[in-house]
């Protein structure tokens, strides 16, 4: 049980580090998305000339924000409504039901992860987004349309991070069911990470 607790704590520290970076990147994407939206409002309603790229750019950033931030919410909140219902059961029965939900979630996330990465690397991911381009030369003379795979990678990344979090939560639940929860490090809350 000590080895399993150490492995779970190591995975927890790794998840905390990755998810903290994800929160910061997600917050940055949210900030840039807000700028894009304000620029579009100015051009559309003040100048009467809507920009072709700002809405697509905002959607791109929104997907990345979601993919990077949702795994943290899953790790800290889990199944909020289900957890409230499980509190009415005795601790052992509630823990077993929670474990079953976590295992089912891990299976579904694994399937979603495989589908997501197949979309990133498949034919659909190779098509270019019509309005977003990035420079490919230092003098900004050459630009490339952004492949849709870059956008689809946001969801595949988020699902992959959620899958790794689900493994940690399954291990934590197993250890708690055996009564060794004192060997587990607590899951850090959003407060204090700095990206909230």
């Amino acid at each position: 049980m000590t080895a399993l607790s150490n492995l779970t704590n190591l995975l927890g520290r790794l998840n905390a580090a990755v998810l903290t970076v994800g929160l910061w990147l997600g917050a940055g994407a949210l900030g840039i998305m807000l700028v894009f939206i304000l620029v579009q409002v100015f051009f559309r309603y003040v100048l009467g000339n809507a920009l072709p790229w700002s809405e697509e750019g905002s959607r791109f950033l929104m997907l990345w924000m979601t993919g990077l931030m949702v795994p943290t919410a899953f790790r800290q909140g889990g199944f909020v409504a289900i957890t409230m219902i499980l509190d009415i059961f005795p601790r052992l029965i509630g823990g077993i039901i929670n474990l079953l939900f976590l295992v089912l979630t891990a299976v579904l996330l694994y399937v979603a992860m495989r589908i997501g990465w197949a979309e990133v690397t498949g034919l659909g991911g190779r098509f270019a987004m019509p309005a977003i381009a990035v420079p490919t030369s230092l003098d900004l003379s050459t630009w490339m349309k952004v492949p849709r795979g870059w956008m689809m990678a946001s969801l595949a990344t988020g699902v992959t991070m959620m899958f790794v979090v689900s493994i940690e939560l399954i291990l934590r639940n197993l250890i708690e069911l055996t009564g060794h929860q004192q060997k587990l490090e607590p899951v850090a809350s959003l407060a204090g990470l700095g990206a909230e």
Side-chain angles (χ1 to χ4, degrees):
M1 192 53 65
T2 301
L4 187 60
S5 300
N6 290 339
L7 175 66
T8 305
N9 288 331
L10 178 65
L11 184 58
R13 287 191 295 271
L14 176 66
N15 278 339
V18 170
L19 295 178
T20 300
V21 171
L23 276 177
W24 277 97
L25 292 173
L30 177 63
I32 297 168
M33 183 177 70
L34 178 63
V35 170
F36 283 7
I37 291 169
L38 292 174
V39 166
Q40 179 69 323
V41 166
F42 176 77
F43 273 84
R44 176 173 289 178
Y45 297 109
V46 176
L47 300 179
N49 186 17
L51 298 171
W53 56 266
S54 66
E55 291 178 17
E56 193 168 15
S58 294
R59 280 192 298 273
F60 181 90
L61 291 167
M62 180 183 59
L63 288 171
W64 272 102
M65 176 200 65
T66 303
L68 293 168
M69 292 180 143
V70 166
T72 298
F74 176 55
R75 183 173 188 245
Q76 294 180 353
F79 310 109
V80 176
I82 294 171
T83 303
M84 290 171 58
I85 291 172
L86 294 178
D87 288 342
I88 65 173
F89 292 105
R91 190 184 72 79
L92 180 62
I93 294 172
I96 291 170
I97 294 171
N98 191 40
L99 180 62
L100 292 174
F101 279 128
L102 287 170
V103 170
L104 178 62
T105 300
V107 170
L108 294 174
L109 287 170
Y110 177 75
V111 171
M113 183 176 64
R114 292 188 52 154
I115 292 169
W117 287 112
E119 287 295 318
V120 171
T121 59
L123 181 63
R126 294 188 185 130
F127 288 104
M129 298 176 71
I132 302 178
V134 293
T136 56
S137 63
L138 292 176
D139 63 355
L140 304 179
S141 63
T142 310
W143 290 68
M144 170 190 81
K145 294 269 188 181
V146 172
R148 288 194 188 278
W150 292 12
M151 180 177 64
M152 294 174 185
S154 64
L155 299 175
T157 300
V159 170
T160 301
M161 291 166 61
M162 287 178 70
F163 175 74
V164 175
V165 166
S166 71
I167 299 302
E168 177 196 354
L169 295 177
I170 288 169
L171 293 174
R172 291 180 74 83
N173 197 284
L174 282 171
I175 292 168
E176 288 172 1
L177 281 174
T178 60
H180 293 90
Q181 58 268 21
Q182 70 277 4
K183 294 183 177 183
L184 293 174
E185 296 171 0
V187 174
S189 67
L190 282 174
L193 292 178
E196 66 277 354

